[in-house]
């Protein structure tokens, strides 16, 4: 139970702080038990960055674990500062970031390059957030281009798992079984019918993708796709002193050429993150219509500023190949689905996301959990990518209104998903060109909204014939 209570139909209580709205657990929102359970398992997704930190930045496990604590602080900031999205990485951009880091020797050089990239991502988010251009982009960018970016990011995430040598090759049984269970619980229409009739099914549904994660891990251990854990007891002791040796203050700042070389990757990462913002805000808008008891403020500018703060935190204290993104798609979808069940299920959209990541941060101190999940870190990342792919494709397709938009979005999506570091740039350029050539009723000059409806109706009528 929270100290401050929300009146029916009002915005959730908060403390104003400039552009932010501060909300604390137990003060402004209640503690959500299902999200707490999810956090105790899903925090392992954050730990899945450790192998990348070891391989591409050349740091030992102990320092990489300390980096995860810095990331944990960043995950708690959005719910604290008034953002209704569950944050995560810019996950589909990871292959592009790795391609960039491959040009540098693991160690000080790669860390400098990662710092340069993350600072540039921070600057992009900060400028767009402070100027208000970020929210304007949502309205200015053609619907087909926005949807194409979302769908393409989903395809790219899925293809990364399905490609030769990907995790589906190495751990097919556990990954397929976990994906099926998670997808069935989260998205199946038949399971929703079961939930309406069974109290036990409702309890399972409350835990989102956790059952799928646990099934994947258990099967991975049983069939030998992952080694059994060496469970240790006590409290984790992240080595912050060792971590400090891998920070920019210790190794020196990057040269100008690193900043210049990082610009294309930073722009690509922002375009993908912008797609995440669209997915997240769309999911919130959908469930907001089903919950008249809470008025949710969706400030795209605040999302940009908070994401900029998180990237700055990482750049100086824990350079992060996953970057700081506005959305943990799979977790946010789980929170949104449960939020839609009503106030008894979840008090506020902030109580769900806030409880989830506060628990995830506290779980980092629990050595038995950290040591138990250590061997299965890759499966956590894989399941996240698979569910992200499904949600991106679902949401992107849902936004398309007519066949012209669907065609343009399809071309953008396929182009974006190509295994080329410049594919995002190509996708944006192709999407804009096709929008002007195919979608606009008038190639030059302004066109009214009714022109679009006439065009859409004409296309629909033609299809029906």
């Amino acid at each position: 139970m929270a100290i401050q209570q929300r009146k029916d139909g009002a915005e959730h209580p908060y403390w104003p702080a400039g552009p932010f709205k501060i909300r604390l657990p137990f003060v402004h929102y209640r503690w959500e038990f299902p999200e707490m359970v999810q956090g105790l398992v899903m925090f392992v997704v954050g730990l899945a960055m450790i192998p990348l930190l070891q391989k591409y930045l050349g740091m030992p496990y102990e320092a990489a674990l300390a980096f995860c604590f810095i990331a944990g602080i960043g995950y708690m900031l959005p719910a604290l500062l008034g953002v209704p999205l569950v944050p995560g990485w810019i996950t589909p951009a990871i292959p592009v970031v790795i391609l960039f880091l491959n040009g540098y020797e693991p160690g000080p050089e790669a860390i400098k390059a990662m710092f340069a990239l993350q600072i540039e991502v921070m600057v992009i988010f900060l400028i767009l957030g402070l100027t208000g251009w970020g929210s304007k982009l949502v309205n200015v960018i053609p619907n087909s281009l926005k949807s194409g970016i979302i769908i393409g990011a989903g395809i790219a995430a899925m293809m990364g798992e399905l490609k030769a040598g990907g995790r589906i090759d190495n751990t097919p049984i556990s990954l397929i079984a976990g994906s099926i269970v998670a997808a069935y619980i989260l998205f199946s229409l038949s399971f929703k019918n079961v939930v309406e009739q069974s109290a036990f099914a409702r309890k399972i549904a409350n835990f989102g993708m956790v059952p799928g994660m646990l099934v994947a891990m258990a099967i991975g251990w049983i069939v030998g796709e992952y080694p059994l854990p060496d469970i240790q007891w006590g409290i984790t002791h992240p080595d912050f002193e060792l971590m400090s040796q891998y920070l920019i203050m210790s190794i020196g700042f990057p040269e100008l050429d690193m900043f210049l070389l990082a610009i294309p990757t930073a722009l690509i990462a922002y375009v993908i993150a912008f797609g995440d913002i669209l997915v997240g805000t769309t999911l919130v808008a959908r469930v907001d219509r089903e919950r008249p008891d809470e008025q949710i403020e969706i400030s795209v500018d605040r999302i940009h500023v908070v994401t900029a703060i998180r990237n700055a935190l990482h750049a100086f204290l824990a350079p992060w190949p996953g970057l700081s993104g506005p959305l943990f798609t799979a977790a946010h979808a789980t929170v949104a689905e449960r939020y839609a069940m009503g106030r008894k299920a979840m008090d506020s959209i902030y109580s769900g996301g806030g409880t989830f990541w506060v628990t995830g941060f506290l779980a980092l101190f629990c050595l038995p959990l950290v040591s138990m999940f250590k061997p299965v870190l890759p499966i956590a990342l894989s399941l996240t990518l698979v569910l992200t792919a499904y949600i991106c494709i679902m949401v992107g397709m849902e936004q398309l209104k007519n066949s012209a938009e669907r065609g343009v979005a399809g071309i953008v999506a396929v182009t974006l998903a190509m295994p080329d570091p410049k594919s995002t740039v190509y996708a944006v350029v192709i999407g804009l060109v096709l929008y002007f050539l195919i979608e606009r009723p008038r190639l030059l000059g302004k066109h009214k909204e009714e022109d679009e409806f006439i065009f859409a109706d004409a296309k629909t009528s033609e299809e029906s014939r």
Side-chain angles (χ1 to χ4, degrees):
M1 182 67 68
I3 296 175
Q4 297 189 22
Q5 294 293 308
R6 180 180 75 249
K7 294 181 180 179
D8 193 66
E11 186 177 359
H12 205 69
Y14 63 89
W15 291 333
F20 307 115
K21 297 183 175 181
I22 296 176
R23 294 181 174 92
L24 300 174
F26 304 112
V27 176
H28 300 103
Y29 61 79
R30 77 186 188 199
W31 194 255
E32 305 287 355
F33 179 76
E35 276 64 43
M36 182 188 74
V37 174
Q38 288 188 64
L40 290 173
V41 177
M42 295 302 295
F43 85 101
V44 70
V45 175
L47 295 178
M49 186 56 59
I50 290 177
L52 300 184
L53 291 167
Q54 292 176 295
K55 181 176 181 180
Y56 296 102
L57 298 188
M59 62 182 59
Y61 174 84
E62 293 76 13
L65 179 62
F67 272 31
C68 292
F69 279 79
I70 303 300
I73 295 172
Y75 296 142
M76 294 187 289
L77 288 180
L80 173 68
L81 299 178
V83 173
L85 308 183
V86 181
W89 310 335
I90 309 180
T91 309
I94 291 177
V96 181
V97 174
I98 289 175
L99 188 64
F100 169 70
L101 293 176
N102 277 333
Y104 300 93
E105 186 72 23
E109 289 300 304
I111 293 171
K112 289 180 182 180
M114 191 65 241
F115 171 85
L117 172 60
Q118 198 133 32
I119 280 293
E120 289 178 356
V121 172
M122 181 274 291
V123 169
I124 294 172
F125 273 103
L126 188 63
I127 291 175
L128 293 179
L130 293 178
T131 59
W133 295 343
S135 56
K136 292 178 181 177
L137 276 176
V138 175
N139 300 319
V140 170
I141 294 180
N143 190 51
S144 56
L145 180 56
K146 291 186 289 189
S147 297
I149 290 173
I150 295 172
I151 297 169
I155 295 173
M158 193 67 183
M159 294 306 296
E161 298 302 305
L162 297 177
K163 69 181 181 181
R167 275 178 285 268
I168 193 68
D169 269 358
N170 301 322
T171 57
I173 301 174
S174 56
L175 179 52
I176 292 173
S179 298
I180 290 173
V181 172
Y184 180 73
I185 291 173
L186 285 173
F187 309 118
S188 171
L189 297 178
S190 64
F191 185 72
K192 288 183 179 179
N193 289 330
V194 175
V195 167
E196 293 177 358
Q197 303 170 11
S198 168
F200 179 70
R202 282 194 293 274
K203 291 180 180 178
I204 294 177
N206 282 339
F207 299 118
M209 64 181 289
V210 169
M213 186 81 73
L214 295 178
V215 165
M217 292 175 178
I219 291 177
W221 284 324
I222 291 171
V223 302
E225 290 183 343
Y226 291 98
L228 292 174
D230 175 21
I231 299 178
Q232 303 171 28
W233 301 96
I235 299 175
T236 53
H237 297 283
D239 196 335
F240 291 107
E241 183 177 353
L242 178 62
M243 180 193 83
S244 65
Q245 300 176 21
Y246 296 87
L247 300 181
I248 208 70
M249 289 79 77
S250 299
I251 63 176
F253 282 79
E255 295 77 19
L256 178 61
D257 64 323
M258 283 188 177
F259 285 101
L260 295 176
L261 291 172
I263 290 175
T265 305
L267 292 173
I268 290 169
Y270 175 75
V271 171
I272 294 174
F274 181 76
D276 284 343
I277 292 174
L278 296 176
V279 172
T281 53
T282 300
L283 288 173
V284 170
R286 284 173 59 187
V287 296
D288 188 32
R289 290 192 291 269
E290 301 180 32
R291 287 282 302 270
D293 63 283
E294 179 178 9
Q295 178 185 342
I296 303 176
E297 181 197 29
I298 305 175
S299 172
V300 175
D301 294 331
R302 187 181 300 134
I303 294 172
H304 276 75
V305 174
V306 174
T307 306
I309 293 172
R310 291 176 56 222
N311 276 289
L313 179 72
H314 269 295
F316 287 100
L317 298 179
W320 198 251
L323 301 172
S324 288
L327 190 69
F328 182 175
T329 311
H332 181 70
T334 301
V335 169
E337 285 291 321
R338 214 172 73 77
Y339 175 78
M341 296 178 184
R343 190 167 186 177
K344 287 185 178 180
M346 184 183 295
D347 180 30
S348 167
I349 193 72
Y350 302 99
S351 65
T355 301
F356 179 86
W357 272 128
V358 170
T359 304
F361 179 73
L362 296 176
L364 290 171
F365 291 92
C366 184
L367 185 57
L369 285 176
V370 172
S371 59
M372 181 177 71
F373 290 132
K374 184 178 178 181
V376 290
L377 294 181
I379 200 71
L381 179 58
S382 292
L383 273 179
T384 300
L385 288 168
V386 170
L387 294 175
T388 296
Y390 180 89
I391 295 166
C392 286
I393 294 171
M394 175 188 69
V395 172
M397 294 292 289
E398 195 175 66
Q399 304 305 306
L400 298 169
K401 301 182 182 70
N402 55 62
S403 58
E405 287 191 354
R406 288 191 287 271
V408 174
I411 297 298
V412 171
V414 172
T415 306
L416 183 69
M418 291 191 307
D420 187 314
K422 297 180 180 178
S423 61
T424 306
V425 177
Y426 297 151
V428 172
V429 173
I430 290 172
L432 290 174
V433 171
L434 292 179
Y435 166 73
F436 283 100
L437 290 179
I438 295 176
E439 291 188 58
R440 288 173 62 93
R442 302 177 185 178
L443 186 59
L444 301 175
K446 295 183 179 180
H447 62 279
K448 299 178 182 178
E449 188 175 350
E450 53 263 29
D451 289 337
E452 295 180 346
F453 286 114
I454 294 171
F455 181 69
D457 291 341
K459 296 293 291 184
T460 303
S461 176
E462 184 179 338
E463 290 171 358
S464 65
R465 291 199 300 269

